Amino acid sequence: MAAFGVAGWHSQRVADRRPQERMPLLHRASLVVFADYFQFYIANGGANWSAPEDWSDDDLRNGGKVAESVVAIAPASNMDVPVEVEVFAEEQTIYLGSFDHAFSCSLRLETGHLQLHECTGPERLFLSVSAGDYQVVVLFSGLERIGEHGLAGKDSYKIALWPGSPQDFKVLKQWTGDWRN
């Protein structure tokens, strides 16, 4: 297993320290995403998906929500945020030590495409991948540096995906600070 930055969940390995080995990385993208309405999405690219509209307080505390063909990510900022996406060929060990918050879930990419989309803006990323089910881990950093009302901050987000069997949404590490002023 390779290192990425998170640990624990179902068959996933968890640890506090990162080994030197890395598994095959298929795609890496670093971009800035406008997180209008405190959300952006990764989805089954080319499919007809709809963003969830029924957000609960628990969903917001969890940092995200899963709907058919889409994972909605609820960042702490309502502004431009840095996002890194990595797609791996195999399951990864995730190390949570340097992250403030993390969740895991699954996403079915039936079309063989991964899309990252802003809430009110355009598609920002479209990657070709093998069609099938993917494990998704979303990592939140810099949550302690969020300004009032989420309009300023140094938060950032990392998304890791790899082929795997469907799993339920699970918070891997809960942020206990006040990130939603």
Side-chain angles (χ1 to χ4, degrees):
M1 293 288 150
F4 179 75
V6 175
W9 149 68
H10 301 288
S11 65
Q12 210 173 323
R13 294 194 189 114
V14 179
D16 292 328
R17 297 178 196 254
R18 181 181 313 215
Q20 296 301 318
E21 66 180 284
R22 257 181 99 80
M23 293 311 274
L25 178 66
L26 301 176
H27 298 281
R28 174 180 283 139
S30 295
L31 56 155
V32 175
V33 174
F34 181 48
D36 201 13
Y37 294 101
F38 296 95
Q39 54 193 294
F40 63 92
Y41 318 104
I42 58 170
N44 185 26
N48 188 14
W49 56 269
S50 295
E53 295 179 6
D54 58 337
W55 289 84
S56 69
D57 288 342
D58 283 342
D59 295 331
L60 295 174
R61 259 189 306 282
N62 293 341
K65 184 176 184 83
V66 177
E68 187 175 342
S69 298
V70 63
V71 176
I73 299 162
S77 294
N78 187 30
M79 56 180 232
D80 288 337
V81 294
V83 176
E84 183 174 324
V85 178
E86 292 184 336
V87 181
F88 294 92
E90 298 177 15
E91 179 182 358
Q92 300 298 291
T93 299
I94 305 296
Y95 300 89
L96 296 175
S98 63
F99 297 99
D100 297 326
H101 182 84
F103 72 80
S104 62
C105 60
S106 294
L107 177 61
R108 175 163 282 178
L109 300 176
E110 292 175 337
T111 62
H113 299 288
L114 173 68
Q115 176 185 33
L116 189 143
H117 206 284
E118 294 177 341
C119 178
T120 58
E123 172 186 292
R124 296 300 316 278
L125 181 68
F126 194 88
L127 298 174
S128 292
V129 297
S130 296
D133 292 314
Y134 281 77
Q135 304 306 306
V136 177
V137 176
V138 181
L139 306 158
F140 297 59
S141 297
L143 299 181
E144 73 283 352
R145 299 178 289 182
I146 301 297
E148 188 174 356
H149 306 295
L151 297 176
K154 300 287 185 187
D155 51 322
S156 63
Y157 303 86
K158 191 174 272 198
I159 303 166
L161 299 95
W162 58 86
S165 62
Q167 304 287 333
D168 291 334
F169 184 99
K170 181 176 181 178
V171 174
L172 301 174
K173 184 175 184 178
Q174 183 68 58
W175 171 252
T176 57
D178 182 17
W179 63 344
R180 306 225 187 268
N181 297 320

